[in-house]
Amino acid sequence: EYVPEETRAVAIHEAGHAAAAHVYMKGLESTRVSIRRRGDSLGHHQALEKEERFSRFRSEQIAALIWTLGAMAAERVFYGENSDGVGGDVQSATARAAYMVGASAMGPVPLDDATPAEARARIMKRFEEIGMQIMGRTGGGQIFTADPISSVLNDRDKRATAAQILGQAYITAHHLMQKNKDKIEKIADELTARREIYGDELVELLERTQL
């Protein structure tokens, strides 16, 4: 059993994942959210495809990043900082952003052309700064020890683009949690009380909150 403060924190973390998936990952449906410890995992959110797919557009990859970073965003909105429980999310998000940039020639979502060029440059630089803070850098002194991720993230220009994608996805997740803080709290309260929620009951809970 977790102490009450940790139970609450894990529930907020998983509620962040569930909320981000529900809003942004239109091709998937949440099937389980849990705060029961399994091995090294303190909690778990699972979402499955409604239809089997074999390729993804950039918007879908960005949505997956928002889902992954939703838990970190929820922690920072509720606590003003994040826990070390985001480690797996950080590695997953870093790898996805690297593949997007290095293998699929994808970049961040373009800003509105009506935005002045100077403002666009400033915003993209800020995304990059945030992304560089998030980007995983463990692994024997290298950013990653195995290709192809290391080759992407050791390239200055590709690394900057990957960081912009991470920063943009995180900021999107952060705004979602900030605007829906009371609703995220309701999801976390339900999860704290029940420990695990499955299938239709989970979908109904997410729909009922009207994120």
Side-chain angles (χ1 to χ4, degrees):
E1 290 293 329
Y2 306 126
V3 298
E5 293 84 359
E6 191 171 26
T7 300
R8 177 69 169 170
V10 174
I12 292 292
H13 179 107
E14 299 305 334
H17 279 313
H22 186 70
V23 172
Y24 283 97
M25 299 189 70
K26 300 304 183 184
L28 279 76
E29 185 171 87
S30 291
T31 57
R32 182 176 75 182
V33 64
S34 172
I35 57 170
R36 293 188 187 279
R37 183 170 180 173
R38 290 176 171 85
D40 293 333
S41 176
L42 302 182
H44 179 72
H45 172 256
Q46 184 177 33
L48 297 179
E49 290 180 321
K50 297 176 184 178
E51 298 177 320
E52 190 175 22
R53 294 279 303 282
F54 300 97
S55 63
R56 299 285 180 276
F57 283 101
R58 182 188 62 184
S59 59
E60 295 170 307
Q61 295 284 16
I62 292 286
L65 281 176
I66 296 168
W67 172 30
T68 303
L69 297 173
M72 179 191 293
E75 289 185 7
R76 288 185 172 175
V77 165
F78 278 85
Y79 298 104
E81 58 184 343
N82 62 268
S83 71
D84 57 8
V86 305
D89 296 334
V90 166
Q91 296 304 315
S92 175
T94 301
R96 184 181 296 275
Y99 274 107
M100 289 171 67
V101 169
S104 304
M106 294 177 179
V109 178
L111 300 180
D112 190 338
D113 289 339
T115 305
E118 184 178 336
R120 286 203 304 271
R122 178 174 51 81
I123 292 167
M124 295 310 295
K125 183 63 178 175
R126 182 59 181 145
F127 284 153
E128 184 179 335
E129 290 170 353
I130 293 168
M132 291 298 287
Q133 180 178 337
I134 293 171
M135 191 176 286
R137 288 179 174 80
T138 58
Q142 297 295 319
I143 294 177
F144 270 85
T145 56
D147 286 338
I149 297 172
S150 63
S151 62
V152 173
L153 299 185
N154 282 308
D155 179 288
R156 183 190 62 188
D157 296 329
K158 292 291 188 182
R159 183 172 66 247
T161 305
Q164 289 170 358
I165 291 174
L166 284 172
Q168 193 175 55
Y170 173 77
I171 287 296
T172 304
H174 188 92
H175 283 305
L176 176 68
M177 303 306 152
Q178 200 169 46
K179 291 290 186 180
N180 293 278
K181 185 176 180 181
D182 57 333
K183 297 170 183 178
I184 304 297
E185 192 164 28
K186 289 179 181 177
I187 297 169
D189 287 343
E190 187 79 13
L191 183 54
T192 299
R194 298 176 59 180
R195 293 297 195 270
E196 288 185 328
I197 309 173
Y198 295 91
D200 290 343
E201 289 186 346
L202 175 54
V203 174
E204 289 166 6
L205 170 62
L206 293 169
E207 290 178 348
R208 191 166 65 245
T209 58
Q210 297 185 323
L211 293 156

